[in-house]
């Protein structure tokens, strides 16, 4: 067997510490890029209609205002506020009334009697059934439109610094779960002797610490994340109590309790179990730990399933158990892969049998992932148009592509595994030959491989013992370096881990993105609930000239469905020759000057040459919106053009 060995791949990584640093840097880069490109989580429930409708002018003051949503929501005090033209409250109830019936989700608030004519603003905020905060606003008028002094918040609920920190905690929680569950399963199923290996212990314990810290952070930040957006409210006891009364709060508390049981499991695994030498007793303890650990792992996975996508939408009773299996398979595969990487680089004793057992576990995990993933994809997407035309579908395509790459790299790992053999360190007398040069090691001749002279003092004996330990590790390292199969396996496993880091990041992004099926259904409901005259797809064409070389062209913009709520935005840029034109930077902003709303920034993602897209663009209310487009064609050549469009 072998100890720490340098990485012999094409990159200049000479120590396992450098390999770990590479992975850490990659994790930071991937999460940083994803966070930088992501705004607040897209609404997973959508406003599908209201009475009065957005932009409507009614002859007499209504008795109440009602809002309809695409799926179940959680509301609290001041979730729906109706403000008169001066900004004062026009509704009489702090907590909305639940008017839902059948399959329709509807909430309403009563209004004061005798309201004067003018434009009224309805601002609403709630929590979607899958735990994500949603908000919006619209206006209606009594008698005739008027000026209004209502200033709506520029920051969407769930955004800002609190939203960024909360998202980081969510991603860290998934990573900690993978290391905790996958690392423990790797030790129990694949490499039981690894329970006494310090690197394996550190990996699992760090997974537990990461998951626990992330869960505590999410619990404290849940109130400001879904409400005020201020860090100071994290320690508001009343707000914390309100969080505990929600499905998400109950899931987070349950996770913390299960993590207490997981701590006991870790203590037994790396304590009593690691020291147990009797094979029969160890076999019984292995069975007990596997059953108990499996129950705890399934329980922790269920805390996600019971509070996020799987708990809402169609077939939740099937979707939640399937989601638990999916999460456990992800942990067994990616967590085991991380454990194997650590073992190959940091421990000298892992043998070919353990690697082959993990190969079988990984294959089984992939089968489970394929079955559960197909079901989840059908449930969350539902159509080809949602797969290609929504952000959720595009992320899902990217995830599938990454899995294909990971399986391809894993195929190479299986080839190296098939050729892997266990190399023994041979010894004879007091000299041991170097496995590479074949020459005797001079240090062994001086120190001796085992025995310590009787006439040396305790300090010298301890020094000799340390030197022998270093010598043994060095020899095992040399043996491993001389094994091309083991070196090839280390390189392929490292490549798998790199792809797995990106895959995990994309997977966690899916949990913060509105499912394609929900988005399409919400758009259909909103279209059906809105009169045809209330709006439609918006098409704009704006020529530009940045003044530099190749600085002329035309920007074409499509906004659909062109109504209040969530919209898809597509931007095409054609050069002066009429061909698609790429530019270094493209930004948009929407401003409703009549209501002093905006500018609301939109940073689209490049989809193809000369084509950019953004999904989930929120239009809070109908009106004559000014669309500003900033085009930069070089480091110094830039221009901002604008055009007005009726949206909603």
């Amino acid at each position: 067997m072998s100890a720490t060995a340098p990485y012999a791949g094409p990159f200049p990584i000479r120590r396992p510490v450098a390999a770990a640093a590479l992975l850490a840097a990659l994790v930071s880069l991937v999460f940083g890029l994803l966070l930088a490109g992501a705004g607040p989580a897209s609404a997973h429930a959508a406003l599908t209609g209201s009475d009065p409708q957005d932009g409507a002018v009614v002859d007499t003051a209504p008795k109440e205002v009602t809002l309809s949503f695409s799926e179940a929501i959680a509301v609290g005090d001041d979730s729906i506020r109706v403000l008169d033209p001066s900004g004062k409250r026009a509704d009489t109830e702090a907590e909305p009334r639940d008017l839902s019936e059948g399959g329709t989700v509807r909430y309403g608030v009563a209004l004061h009697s005798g309201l004067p004519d003018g434009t009224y603003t309805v601002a609403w905020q709630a929590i979607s059934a899958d735990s994500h905060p949603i908000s919006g606003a619209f206006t209606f008028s009594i008698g005739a439109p008027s000026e209004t002094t209502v200033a709506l918040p520029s920051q969407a609920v769930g955004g800002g610094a609190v939203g960024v920190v909360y998202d980081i905690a969510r991603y860290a929680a998934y990573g900690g779960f993978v290391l905790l569950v996958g690392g423990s399963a790797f030790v129990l199923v694949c490499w039981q002797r690894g329970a006494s290996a310090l690197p394996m212990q550190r990996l699992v314990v760090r997974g537990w610490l990461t998951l626990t810290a992330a869960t505590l952070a999410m619990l404290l930040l849940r109130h400001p994340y879904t409400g005020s957006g201020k860090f100071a409210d994290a320690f508001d006891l009343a707000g914390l109590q309100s969080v505990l009364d929600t499905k998400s709060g109950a899931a987070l508390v349950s996770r913390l309790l299960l993590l207490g049981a997981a701590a006991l499991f870790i203590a037994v695994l790396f304590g009593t179990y690691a020291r147990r030498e009797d094979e029969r007793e160890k076999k019984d303890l292995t069975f007990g730990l596997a059953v108990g650990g499996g129950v705890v792992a399934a329980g922790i996975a269920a805390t996600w399933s019971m509070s996020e996508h799987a708990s809402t939408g169609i077939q939740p009773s099937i979707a939640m158990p399937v989601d638990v299996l999916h999460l456990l398979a992800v942990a067994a595969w990616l967590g085991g892969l991380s454990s194997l990487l650590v073992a190959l680089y940091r421990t000298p004793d892992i043998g070919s049998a353990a690697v082959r057992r993990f190969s079988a576990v990984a294959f089984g995990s992939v089968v489970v992932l394929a079955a559960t993933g197909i079901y989840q994809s059908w449930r969350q997407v539902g159509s080809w148009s949602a797969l290609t035309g929504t952000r959720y579908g595009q992320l899902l395509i990217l995830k599938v592509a990454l899995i294909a790459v990971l399986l391809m790299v894993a195929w190479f790992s299986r080839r190296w595994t098939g050729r892997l053999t266990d190399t023994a360190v041979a010894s004879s007398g007091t000299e041991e030959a170097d496995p590479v040069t074949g020459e005797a090691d001079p240090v062994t001749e001086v120190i001796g491989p085992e025995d310590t002279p009787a006439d040396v003092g305790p300090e010298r004996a301890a020094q000799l013992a340390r030197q022998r330990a270093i010598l043994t590790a060095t020899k095992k390292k040399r043996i491993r370096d001389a094994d091309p199969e083991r070196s090839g396996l280390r390189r392929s496993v490292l490549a798998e881990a790199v792809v797995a880091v990106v895959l995990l990041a994309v997977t966690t992004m899916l949990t913060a993105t509105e499912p394609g099926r929900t988005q399409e259904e919400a758009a259909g409901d909103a279209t059906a609930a809105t009169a045809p005259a209330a709006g439609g797809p918006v098409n704009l064409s704006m020529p530009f000239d940045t003044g530099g070389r190749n600085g002329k062209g035309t920007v074409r913009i499509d906004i659909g469905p062109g109504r209040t709520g969530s919209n898809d935005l597509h931007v095409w840029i054609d050069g002066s020759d009429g061909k698609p034109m790429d530019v270094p930077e493209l930004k948009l902003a929407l401003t409703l000057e009549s209501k002093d709303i905006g500018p609301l920034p939109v940073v689209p993602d490049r989809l193809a040459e000369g084509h950019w897209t953004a999904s989930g663009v929120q239009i809070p209310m109908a009106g004559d919106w000014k669309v500003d487009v900033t085009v930069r064609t070089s480091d110094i050549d830039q221009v901002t053009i604008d055009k007005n469009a009726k949206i909603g």
Side-chain angles (χ1 to χ4, degrees):
M1 288 301 101
S2 51
T4 303
Y7 170 62
F11 299 101
I13 300 174
R14 297 303 177 200
R15 298 181 183 278
V17 174
L22 173 64
L23 284 177
L26 183 64
V27 171
S28 301
L29 175 62
V30 170
F31 283 126
L33 289 174
L34 289 174
L35 288 172
S42 301
H44 293 196
L47 181 69
T48 58
S50 64
D51 187 15
Q53 291 184 1
D54 179 21
V57 179
V58 297
D59 295 330
T60 59
K63 294 182 179 179
E64 65 178 2
V65 171
T66 62
L67 281 71
S68 301
F69 296 89
S70 60
E71 63 181 46
I73 60 171
V75 298
D77 292 346
D78 297 331
S79 286
I80 300 177
R81 295 178 297 135
V82 183
L83 308 174
D84 66 17
S86 65
K88 296 180 181 179
R89 293 288 292 266
D91 56 282
T92 62
E93 299 168 286
E95 184 173 355
R97 290 178 291 116
D98 187 355
L99 305 175
S100 303
E101 57 180 1
T104 303
V105 179
R106 182 183 291 113
Y107 287 85
V109 291
L111 302 181
H112 291 294
S113 58
L115 292 177
D117 290 352
T119 297
Y120 289 77
T121 302
V122 181
W124 56 271
Q125 179 176 317
I127 301 175
S128 182
D130 55 6
S131 80
H132 297 282
I134 57 175
S135 63
F138 64 91
T139 62
F140 70 93
S141 300
I142 301 174
S146 68
E147 295 290 337
T148 178
T149 61
V150 175
L152 297 175
S154 59
Q155 177 179 298
V157 63
V162 169
V164 171
V165 175
Y166 189 88
D167 284 341
I168 291 174
R170 274 197 314 111
Y171 302 149
Y174 278 111
F177 174 76
V178 165
L179 294 180
L180 170 62
V181 175
S184 301
F186 181 84
V187 170
L188 279 176
V189 178
C190 304
W191 190 35
Q192 296 177 3
R193 284 192 300 150
S196 58
L198 186 58
M200 302 304 300
Q201 296 174 5
R202 287 174 176 169
L203 180 73
V204 175
V205 170
R206 284 170 182 169
W208 183 90
L209 290 173
T210 300
L211 179 55
T212 302
T215 303
L216 283 170
M218 292 170 66
L219 185 61
L220 291 175
L221 290 175
R222 185 68 190 173
H223 176 56
Y225 173 68
T226 59
S228 66
K230 299 177 181 178
F231 282 106
D233 289 340
F235 300 98
D236 181 0
L237 295 181
L240 182 60
Q241 180 59 51
S242 66
V243 168
L244 296 179
D245 292 335
T246 65
K247 182 169 64 174
S248 298
L252 291 171
V253 171
S254 300
R255 190 182 303 166
L256 287 174
L257 294 175
L258 288 166
L259 283 169
L264 179 61
F265 168 87
I266 293 172
V268 175
L269 177 63
F270 297 130
T272 305
Y273 183 79
R275 293 190 298 268
R276 193 63 56 91
E277 296 182 357
D278 184 270
E279 289 298 326
R280 184 173 181 179
E281 292 181 357
K282 193 161 189 173
K283 184 176 180 180
D284 293 339
L285 189 54
T286 300
F287 178 79
L289 284 173
V291 173
V295 171
V296 173
I300 295 176
T303 62
W304 276 287
S305 302
M306 68 181 287
S307 61
E308 294 194 348
H309 286 189
S311 64
T312 185
I314 62 174
Q315 301 179 348
S317 59
I318 299 175
M320 285 192 285
V322 168
D323 193 55
V324 170
L325 286 176
H326 192 82
L327 287 170
L328 292 177
V330 168
W333 186 18
L334 301 187
L337 187 65
S338 302
S339 302
L340 179 59
L341 183 66
V342 169
L344 287 171
Y345 273 100
R346 302 302 300 272
T347 62
D349 300 324
I350 186 169
S352 59
V355 178
R356 291 188 177 93
R357 279 193 289 268
F358 171 70
S359 182
V361 169
F363 178 79
S365 298
V366 170
V367 172
V368 174
L369 283 173
T372 57
I374 290 172
Y375 171 77
Q376 289 179 327
S377 299
W378 167 80
R379 182 175 177 271
Q380 300 292 3
V381 178
S383 67
W384 289 110
S385 60
L387 180 64
T388 58
T390 64
R391 180 174 173 80
Y392 186 94
Q394 293 161 1
L395 283 173
L396 185 60
I397 292 173
L398 177 58
K399 177 182 176 180
V400 172
L402 287 170
I403 290 176
V405 173
L406 190 58
L407 290 174
M408 182 177 65
V409 179
W411 179 79
F412 286 99
S413 296
R414 288 177 67 88
R415 290 187 63 188
W416 287 117
T417 299
R419 288 187 263 174
L420 195 64
T421 58
D422 295 326
T423 307
V425 178
S427 61
S428 176
T430 59
E431 289 189 9
E432 294 187 25
D434 187 292
V436 179
T437 66
E439 299 176 358
D441 194 314
V443 181
T444 307
E445 296 177 357
V446 175
I447 300 176
E450 297 179 356
D451 300 327
T452 300
D455 57 346
V456 301
E459 293 185 2
R460 177 57 178 165
Q463 182 184 23
L464 291 174
R466 289 193 298 270
Q467 290 175 339
R468 279 196 299 272
I470 295 172
L471 175 64
T472 301
T474 302
K475 286 185 174 296
K476 291 181 178 180
K477 172 180 176 295
R478 290 173 181 169
I479 292 173
R480 185 175 66 185
D481 291 348
D483 184 356
E485 283 75 21
R486 194 170 295 269
S487 297
L489 180 61
R490 287 202 311 275
R491 290 195 296 270
S492 63
V493 170
L494 179 61
E496 283 188 76
V498 169
V499 179
V501 167
V502 183
L503 175 62
L504 185 61
V506 173
T507 301
T508 51
M509 282 296 295
L510 280 170
T511 66
T513 305
E514 181 178 2
R517 182 189 291 270
T518 304
Q519 184 174 338
E520 283 204 335
E521 290 177 352
D525 292 341
T527 302
T530 307
V538 175
N539 309 107
L540 301 175
S541 179
M542 294 180 279
F544 68 88
D545 184 0
T546 62
R549 182 181 179 184
N550 298 324
K552 293 184 179 181
T554 302
V555 175
R556 293 181 290 115
I557 301 175
D558 286 353
I559 302 176
R563 306 185 188 280
T564 57
S566 180
N567 286 262
D568 290 330
L569 181 144
H570 291 267
V571 181
W572 292 269
I573 296 183
D574 300 323
S576 56
D577 57 358
K579 296 181 180 179
M581 175 183 178
D582 267 341
V583 296
E585 184 177 16
L586 174 68
K587 296 188 295 186
L588 290 87
L590 304 174
T591 305
L592 185 59
E593 295 177 337
S594 62
K595 303 295 183 183
D596 196 25
I597 298 176
L600 306 177
V602 178
V603 182
D605 299 318
R606 182 182 181 278
L607 189 61
E609 182 180 3
H611 185 191
W612 290 260
T613 181
S615 60
V617 178
Q618 295 293 321
I619 305 296
M621 61 180 63
D624 192 19
W625 287 82
K626 184 177 75 169
V627 181
D628 292 291
V629 181
T630 299
V631 180
R632 181 170 64 84
T633 56
S634 71
D635 291 340
I636 59 174
D637 299 317
Q638 177 176 304
V639 68
T640 298
I641 53 179
D642 64 79
K643 197 167 188 177
N644 284 11
K646 178 69 176 179
I647 304 178

